[in-house]
Short mmCIF file of all heavy atoms in Angstrom, two decimals:
data_model
loop_
_atom_site.label_atom_id
_atom_site.label_comp_id
_atom_site.label_asym_id
_atom_site.label_seq_id
_atom_site.Cartn_x
_atom_site.Cartn_y
_atom_site.Cartn_z
N GLY A 1 -8.80 2.49 -27.45
CA GLY A 1 -7.63 3.26 -27.05
C GLY A 1 -7.96 4.25 -25.95
O GLY A 1 -7.22 4.40 -24.98
N HIS A 2 -9.10 4.93 -26.08
CA HIS A 2 -9.54 5.89 -25.05
C HIS A 2 -9.82 5.17 -23.73
O HIS A 2 -9.37 5.60 -22.66
CB HIS A 2 -10.79 6.64 -25.53
CG HIS A 2 -11.36 7.55 -24.49
ND1 HIS A 2 -10.91 8.84 -24.32
CD2 HIS A 2 -12.33 7.35 -23.57
CE1 HIS A 2 -11.59 9.40 -23.33
NE2 HIS A 2 -12.45 8.52 -22.86
N TRP A 3 -10.57 4.08 -23.82
CA TRP A 3 -10.90 3.33 -22.60
C TRP A 3 -9.65 2.79 -21.93
O TRP A 3 -9.51 2.84 -20.71
CB TRP A 3 -11.85 2.19 -22.92
CG TRP A 3 -13.26 2.61 -23.19
CD1 TRP A 3 -13.83 3.82 -22.92
CD2 TRP A 3 -14.27 1.82 -23.80
NE1 TRP A 3 -15.14 3.82 -23.32
CE2 TRP A 3 -15.44 2.60 -23.86
CE3 TRP A 3 -14.32 0.53 -24.30
CZ2 TRP A 3 -16.63 2.13 -24.40
CZ3 TRP A 3 -15.50 0.06 -24.84
CH2 TRP A 3 -16.65 0.86 -24.88
N CYS A 4 -8.73 2.26 -22.70
CA CYS A 4 -7.50 1.70 -22.15
C CYS A 4 -6.69 2.78 -21.44
O CYS A 4 -6.19 2.57 -20.34
CB CYS A 4 -6.68 1.03 -23.25
SG CYS A 4 -5.17 0.26 -22.67
N TYR A 5 -6.56 3.93 -22.08
CA TYR A 5 -5.81 5.03 -21.46
C TYR A 5 -6.46 5.47 -20.16
O TYR A 5 -5.77 5.68 -19.14
CB TYR A 5 -5.70 6.20 -22.43
CG TYR A 5 -4.88 7.33 -21.90
CD1 TYR A 5 -3.50 7.31 -22.01
CD2 TYR A 5 -5.48 8.40 -21.26
CE1 TYR A 5 -2.72 8.35 -21.50
CE2 TYR A 5 -4.72 9.43 -20.75
CZ TYR A 5 -3.34 9.40 -20.88
OH TYR A 5 -2.60 10.42 -20.36
N ALA A 6 -7.76 5.63 -20.16
CA ALA A 6 -8.47 6.08 -18.95
C ALA A 6 -8.33 5.04 -17.83
O ALA A 6 -8.10 5.39 -16.67
CB ALA A 6 -9.94 6.33 -19.27
N ARG A 7 -8.46 3.77 -18.17
CA ARG A 7 -8.34 2.71 -17.16
C ARG A 7 -6.93 2.65 -16.59
O ARG A 7 -6.76 2.50 -15.37
CB ARG A 7 -8.70 1.36 -17.78
CG ARG A 7 -10.16 1.22 -18.10
CD ARG A 7 -10.41 -0.05 -18.88
NE ARG A 7 -11.79 -0.13 -19.30
CZ ARG A 7 -12.20 -0.83 -20.33
NH1 ARG A 7 -11.34 -1.51 -21.06
NH2 ARG A 7 -13.48 -0.86 -20.66
N LEU A 8 -5.93 2.74 -17.45
CA LEU A 8 -4.55 2.69 -16.96
C LEU A 8 -4.23 3.87 -16.06
O LEU A 8 -3.55 3.72 -15.04
CB LEU A 8 -3.58 2.64 -18.14
CG LEU A 8 -3.46 1.30 -18.84
CD1 LEU A 8 -2.57 1.43 -20.07
CD2 LEU A 8 -2.93 0.24 -17.92
N ALA A 9 -4.72 5.05 -16.42
CA ALA A 9 -4.48 6.22 -15.59
C ALA A 9 -5.11 6.06 -14.21
O ALA A 9 -4.49 6.38 -13.19
CB ALA A 9 -5.03 7.47 -16.28
N LYS A 10 -6.32 5.54 -14.17
CA LYS A 10 -6.98 5.32 -12.87
C LYS A 10 -6.29 4.23 -12.07
O LYS A 10 -6.18 4.32 -10.85
CB LYS A 10 -8.45 4.96 -13.09
CG LYS A 10 -9.28 6.13 -13.53
CD LYS A 10 -10.71 5.72 -13.77
CE LYS A 10 -11.51 6.88 -14.33
NZ LYS A 10 -12.86 6.47 -14.71
N MET A 11 -5.81 3.19 -12.74
CA MET A 11 -5.16 2.10 -12.03
C MET A 11 -3.81 2.53 -11.45
O MET A 11 -3.43 2.09 -10.37
CB MET A 11 -4.98 0.88 -12.94
CG MET A 11 -6.28 0.15 -13.24
SD MET A 11 -7.24 -0.28 -11.76
CE MET A 11 -6.14 -1.37 -10.93
N VAL A 12 -3.08 3.39 -12.14
CA VAL A 12 -1.81 3.88 -11.60
C VAL A 12 -2.07 4.66 -10.32
O VAL A 12 -1.38 4.48 -9.31
CB VAL A 12 -1.08 4.74 -12.65
CG1 VAL A 12 0.05 5.53 -12.02
CG2 VAL A 12 -0.55 3.87 -13.77
N ILE A 13 -3.08 5.51 -10.34
CA ILE A 13 -3.44 6.27 -9.14
C ILE A 13 -3.88 5.32 -8.02
O ILE A 13 -3.51 5.49 -6.86
CB ILE A 13 -4.54 7.30 -9.46
CG1 ILE A 13 -3.97 8.37 -10.39
CG2 ILE A 13 -5.09 7.94 -8.20
CD1 ILE A 13 -5.02 9.29 -10.97
N TYR A 14 -4.64 4.31 -8.38
CA TYR A 14 -5.11 3.33 -7.38
C TYR A 14 -3.93 2.61 -6.74
O TYR A 14 -3.89 2.44 -5.52
CB TYR A 14 -6.06 2.33 -8.03
CG TYR A 14 -6.35 1.16 -7.14
CD1 TYR A 14 -7.22 1.28 -6.07
CD2 TYR A 14 -5.73 -0.06 -7.34
CE1 TYR A 14 -7.48 0.21 -5.23
CE2 TYR A 14 -5.97 -1.13 -6.51
CZ TYR A 14 -6.84 -0.99 -5.46
OH TYR A 14 -7.08 -2.04 -4.62
N PHE A 15 -2.95 2.18 -7.53
CA PHE A 15 -1.82 1.45 -6.97
C PHE A 15 -0.96 2.34 -6.07
O PHE A 15 -0.43 1.89 -5.06
CB PHE A 15 -0.98 0.80 -8.06
CG PHE A 15 -1.61 -0.45 -8.61
CD1 PHE A 15 -1.94 -0.54 -9.93
CD2 PHE A 15 -1.88 -1.53 -7.78
CE1 PHE A 15 -2.54 -1.69 -10.43
CE2 PHE A 15 -2.47 -2.67 -8.27
CZ PHE A 15 -2.80 -2.76 -9.60
N PHE A 16 -0.83 3.62 -6.43
CA PHE A 16 -0.14 4.54 -5.53
C PHE A 16 -0.89 4.65 -4.21
O PHE A 16 -0.29 4.61 -3.14
CB PHE A 16 0.01 5.93 -6.16
CG PHE A 16 1.21 6.05 -7.05
CD1 PHE A 16 1.06 6.32 -8.41
CD2 PHE A 16 2.49 5.92 -6.55
CE1 PHE A 16 2.15 6.44 -9.22
CE2 PHE A 16 3.60 6.04 -7.36
CZ PHE A 16 3.43 6.30 -8.70
N TYR A 17 -2.20 4.78 -4.28
CA TYR A 17 -3.01 4.88 -3.07
C TYR A 17 -2.87 3.62 -2.21
O TYR A 17 -2.67 3.71 -1.00
CB TYR A 17 -4.48 5.10 -3.46
CG TYR A 17 -5.45 4.96 -2.32
CD1 TYR A 17 -5.55 5.95 -1.35
CD2 TYR A 17 -6.26 3.84 -2.21
CE1 TYR A 17 -6.43 5.82 -0.29
CE2 TYR A 17 -7.14 3.70 -1.16
CZ TYR A 17 -7.22 4.69 -0.20
OH TYR A 17 -8.08 4.56 0.84
N LYS A 18 -2.96 2.45 -2.83
CA LYS A 18 -2.85 1.19 -2.10
C LYS A 18 -1.50 1.07 -1.41
O LYS A 18 -1.42 0.73 -0.23
CB LYS A 18 -3.04 0.01 -3.05
CG LYS A 18 -2.84 -1.35 -2.39
CD LYS A 18 -2.75 -2.46 -3.38
CE LYS A 18 -1.45 -2.51 -4.10
NZ LYS A 18 -0.39 -3.28 -3.49
N ASN A 19 -0.45 1.39 -2.12
CA ASN A 19 0.89 1.26 -1.53
C ASN A 19 1.16 2.32 -0.47
O ASN A 19 1.82 2.03 0.53
CB ASN A 19 1.94 1.31 -2.63
CG ASN A 19 1.93 0.05 -3.47
OD1 ASN A 19 1.67 -1.03 -2.97
ND2 ASN A 19 2.19 0.20 -4.75
N VAL A 20 0.65 3.53 -0.65
CA VAL A 20 0.83 4.56 0.37
C VAL A 20 0.10 4.15 1.64
O VAL A 20 0.64 4.30 2.75
CB VAL A 20 0.33 5.94 -0.14
CG1 VAL A 20 0.13 6.92 0.99
CG2 VAL A 20 1.30 6.49 -1.17
N CYS A 21 -1.09 3.61 1.52
CA CYS A 21 -1.83 3.16 2.71
C CYS A 21 -1.08 2.05 3.44
O CYS A 21 -0.94 2.07 4.66
CB CYS A 21 -3.22 2.68 2.32
SG CYS A 21 -4.32 3.99 1.81
N TYR A 22 -0.57 1.09 2.69
CA TYR A 22 0.11 -0.04 3.31
C TYR A 22 1.43 0.39 3.96
O TYR A 22 1.73 0.02 5.09
CB TYR A 22 0.35 -1.12 2.26
CG TYR A 22 0.88 -2.40 2.85
CD1 TYR A 22 0.07 -3.19 3.66
CD2 TYR A 22 2.18 -2.80 2.61
CE1 TYR A 22 0.55 -4.37 4.21
CE2 TYR A 22 2.67 -3.96 3.16
CZ TYR A 22 1.85 -4.74 3.96
OH TYR A 22 2.33 -5.89 4.50
N VAL A 23 2.21 1.20 3.27
CA VAL A 23 3.49 1.65 3.82
C VAL A 23 3.26 2.58 5.00
O VAL A 23 4.03 2.57 5.97
CB VAL A 23 4.34 2.32 2.71
CG1 VAL A 23 5.55 3.03 3.28
CG2 VAL A 23 4.76 1.29 1.69
N ASN A 24 2.20 3.37 4.96
CA ASN A 24 1.87 4.25 6.08
C ASN A 24 1.59 3.43 7.35
O ASN A 24 2.03 3.79 8.43
CB ASN A 24 0.68 5.12 5.71
CG ASN A 24 0.58 6.35 6.56
OD1 ASN A 24 1.51 6.71 7.26
ND2 ASN A 24 -0.57 7.00 6.51
N LEU A 25 0.87 2.32 7.20
CA LEU A 25 0.62 1.45 8.35
C LEU A 25 1.93 0.88 8.90
O LEU A 25 2.14 0.86 10.12
CB LEU A 25 -0.30 0.30 7.94
CG LEU A 25 -1.77 0.63 7.75
CD1 LEU A 25 -2.52 -0.58 7.21
CD2 LEU A 25 -2.38 1.07 9.06
N LEU A 26 2.79 0.42 8.01
CA LEU A 26 4.07 -0.13 8.46
C LEU A 26 4.92 0.94 9.14
O LEU A 26 5.60 0.67 10.14
CB LEU A 26 4.84 -0.72 7.27
CG LEU A 26 4.24 -1.97 6.64
CD1 LEU A 26 5.04 -2.38 5.42
CD2 LEU A 26 4.18 -3.11 7.64
N PHE A 27 4.91 2.14 8.62
CA PHE A 27 5.70 3.23 9.18
C PHE A 27 5.26 3.54 10.62
O PHE A 27 6.08 3.61 11.53
CB PHE A 27 5.57 4.47 8.29
CG PHE A 27 6.27 5.68 8.82
CD1 PHE A 27 7.66 5.77 8.76
CD2 PHE A 27 5.55 6.72 9.38
CE1 PHE A 27 8.31 6.89 9.25
CE2 PHE A 27 6.20 7.84 9.87
CZ PHE A 27 7.58 7.93 9.81
N TRP A 28 3.96 3.72 10.82
CA TRP A 28 3.48 4.05 12.16
C TRP A 28 3.59 2.88 13.12
O TRP A 28 3.76 3.06 14.33
CB TRP A 28 2.04 4.57 12.10
CG TRP A 28 2.00 5.93 11.47
CD1 TRP A 28 1.50 6.25 10.25
CD2 TRP A 28 2.52 7.13 12.02
NE1 TRP A 28 1.68 7.58 9.99
CE2 TRP A 28 2.31 8.16 11.07
CE3 TRP A 28 3.16 7.46 13.21
CZ2 TRP A 28 2.70 9.46 11.29
CZ3 TRP A 28 3.55 8.77 13.43
CH2 TRP A 28 3.31 9.75 12.47
N TYR A 29 3.54 1.65 12.60
CA TYR A 29 3.73 0.48 13.46
C TYR A 29 5.15 0.44 14.02
O TYR A 29 5.36 0.00 15.14
CB TYR A 29 3.41 -0.80 12.69
CG TYR A 29 3.63 -2.04 13.51
CD1 TYR A 29 2.75 -2.39 14.52
CD2 TYR A 29 4.73 -2.86 13.28
CE1 TYR A 29 2.95 -3.52 15.29
CE2 TYR A 29 4.95 -3.99 14.03
CZ TYR A 29 4.06 -4.32 15.03
OH TYR A 29 4.27 -5.44 15.79
N GLN A 30 6.12 0.91 13.24
CA GLN A 30 7.51 0.90 13.72
C GLN A 30 7.69 1.82 14.92
O GLN A 30 8.50 1.56 15.80
CB GLN A 30 8.47 1.27 12.59
CG GLN A 30 8.57 0.21 11.51
CD GLN A 30 8.94 -1.15 12.07
OE1 GLN A 30 9.84 -1.29 12.89
NE2 GLN A 30 8.22 -2.16 11.62
N PHE A 31 6.93 2.92 14.99
CA PHE A 31 6.96 3.76 16.20
C PHE A 31 6.41 2.99 17.39
O PHE A 31 6.90 3.10 18.50
CB PHE A 31 6.15 5.05 16.00
CG PHE A 31 6.85 6.08 15.18
CD1 PHE A 31 6.44 6.35 13.88
CD2 PHE A 31 7.92 6.78 15.70
CE1 PHE A 31 7.08 7.31 13.13
CE2 PHE A 31 8.56 7.75 14.95
CZ PHE A 31 8.15 8.01 13.65
N PHE A 32 5.37 2.20 17.15
CA PHE A 32 4.72 1.45 18.22
C PHE A 32 5.64 0.36 18.77
O PHE A 32 5.69 0.14 19.98
CB PHE A 32 3.42 0.84 17.70
CG PHE A 32 2.71 -0.02 18.69
CD1 PHE A 32 2.05 0.54 19.78
CD2 PHE A 32 2.69 -1.39 18.55
CE1 PHE A 32 1.39 -0.25 20.69
CE2 PHE A 32 2.04 -2.19 19.47
CZ PHE A 32 1.39 -1.62 20.54
N CYS A 33 6.39 -0.31 17.89
CA CYS A 33 7.24 -1.43 18.34
C CYS A 33 8.69 -1.00 18.58
O CYS A 33 9.57 -1.85 18.76
CB CYS A 33 7.18 -2.59 17.36
SG CYS A 33 8.02 -2.27 15.81
N GLY A 34 8.96 0.28 18.59
CA GLY A 34 10.30 0.77 18.92
C GLY A 34 11.33 0.51 17.83
O GLY A 34 12.50 0.30 18.13
N PHE A 35 10.92 0.50 16.59
CA PHE A 35 11.81 0.30 15.44
C PHE A 35 12.61 -1.00 15.57
O PHE A 35 13.80 -1.05 15.23
CB PHE A 35 12.75 1.49 15.24
CG PHE A 35 12.03 2.75 14.85
CD1 PHE A 35 11.70 3.69 15.80
CD2 PHE A 35 11.66 2.97 13.53
CE1 PHE A 35 11.03 4.84 15.45
CE2 PHE A 35 10.99 4.12 13.18
CZ PHE A 35 10.67 5.06 14.14
N SER A 36 11.96 -2.04 16.07
CA SER A 36 12.64 -3.32 16.24
C SER A 36 12.70 -4.13 14.95
O SER A 36 13.43 -5.11 14.87
CB SER A 36 11.94 -4.15 17.33
OG SER A 36 10.64 -4.51 16.88
N GLY A 37 11.95 -3.73 13.96
CA GLY A 37 11.95 -4.47 12.69
C GLY A 37 10.97 -5.63 12.68
O GLY A 37 10.95 -6.42 11.74
N SER A 38 10.17 -5.77 13.73
CA SER A 38 9.18 -6.85 13.74
C SER A 38 8.08 -6.56 12.73
O SER A 38 7.78 -5.41 12.43
CB SER A 38 8.59 -7.02 15.15
OG SER A 38 7.91 -5.86 15.51
N THR A 39 7.50 -7.62 12.23
CA THR A 39 6.48 -7.45 11.19
C THR A 39 5.13 -7.21 11.82
O THR A 39 4.80 -7.76 12.87
CB THR A 39 6.41 -8.70 10.29
OG1 THR A 39 6.11 -9.83 11.10
CG2 THR A 39 7.72 -8.91 9.56
N MET A 40 4.35 -6.40 11.15
CA MET A 40 3.03 -6.04 11.65
C MET A 40 2.02 -7.15 11.35
O MET A 40 1.14 -7.44 12.15
CB MET A 40 2.57 -4.73 11.02
CG MET A 40 1.22 -4.26 11.50
SD MET A 40 0.75 -2.70 10.78
CE MET A 40 0.35 -3.18 9.13
N VAL A 41 2.14 -7.74 10.18
CA VAL A 41 1.18 -8.76 9.76
C VAL A 41 1.94 -10.02 9.39
O VAL A 41 3.14 -10.00 9.08
CB VAL A 41 0.35 -8.28 8.55
CG1 VAL A 41 -0.56 -7.15 8.93
CG2 VAL A 41 1.23 -7.89 7.40
N ASP A 42 1.21 -11.12 9.42
CA ASP A 42 1.80 -12.40 9.04
C ASP A 42 2.12 -12.40 7.54
O ASP A 42 1.49 -11.68 6.76
CB ASP A 42 0.79 -13.52 9.37
CG ASP A 42 1.38 -14.89 9.16
OD1 ASP A 42 2.58 -15.06 9.42
OD2 ASP A 42 0.63 -15.78 8.71
N TYR A 43 3.06 -13.23 7.16
CA TYR A 43 3.49 -13.31 5.76
C TYR A 43 2.32 -13.65 4.85
O TYR A 43 2.16 -13.06 3.79
CB TYR A 43 4.61 -14.34 5.66
CG TYR A 43 5.16 -14.52 4.28
CD1 TYR A 43 5.92 -13.52 3.68
CD2 TYR A 43 4.93 -15.68 3.56
CE1 TYR A 43 6.43 -13.68 2.41
CE2 TYR A 43 5.43 -15.85 2.29
CZ TYR A 43 6.19 -14.85 1.72
OH TYR A 43 6.70 -15.01 0.47
N TRP A 44 1.49 -14.59 5.25
CA TRP A 44 0.35 -15.01 4.41
C TRP A 44 -0.70 -13.91 4.29
O TRP A 44 -1.32 -13.74 3.25
CB TRP A 44 -0.28 -16.29 4.96
CG TRP A 44 0.60 -17.47 4.71
CD1 TRP A 44 1.39 -18.11 5.61
CD2 TRP A 44 0.81 -18.12 3.45
NE1 TRP A 44 2.08 -19.13 5.00
CE2 TRP A 44 1.73 -19.15 3.67
CE3 TRP A 44 0.31 -17.93 2.17
CZ2 TRP A 44 2.16 -20.00 2.66
CZ3 TRP A 44 0.74 -18.78 1.17
CH2 TRP A 44 1.65 -19.79 1.40
N GLN A 45 -0.89 -13.16 5.35
CA GLN A 45 -1.83 -12.05 5.29
C GLN A 45 -1.35 -10.98 4.32
O GLN A 45 -2.15 -10.38 3.60
CB GLN A 45 -2.03 -11.45 6.68
CG GLN A 45 -2.81 -12.33 7.62
CD GLN A 45 -2.85 -11.76 9.02
OE1 GLN A 45 -1.95 -11.02 9.42
NE2 GLN A 45 -3.89 -12.11 9.77
#
């Protein structure tokens, strides 16, 4: 129970970090492409 709680708490923080990094890249890319809505990376990537 202790290990599960500690792991879940760390994983929630990790997923927030991962998503913030990814969305941050997309946000700044939109300034670069003039908010045209073009994708930064390929769908498979």
Side-chain angles (χ1 to χ4, degrees):
H2 175 86
W3 286 345
C4 182
Y5 183 83
R7 290 172 185 155
L8 284 174
K10 288 178 185 174
M11 287 308 298
V12 166
I13 293 170
Y14 168 76
F15 282 120
F16 275 118
Y17 169 74
K18 175 192 75 88
N19 289 325
V20 164
C21 289
Y22 188 69
V23 170
N24 201 14
L25 285 174
L26 292 175
F27 177 74
W28 289 109
Y29 178 74
Q30 291 305 314
F31 283 108
F32 177 72
C33 71
F35 294 97
S36 66
S38 63
T39 59
M40 181 178 73
V41 293
D42 187 36
Y43 180 70
W44 287 104
Q45 289 174 333

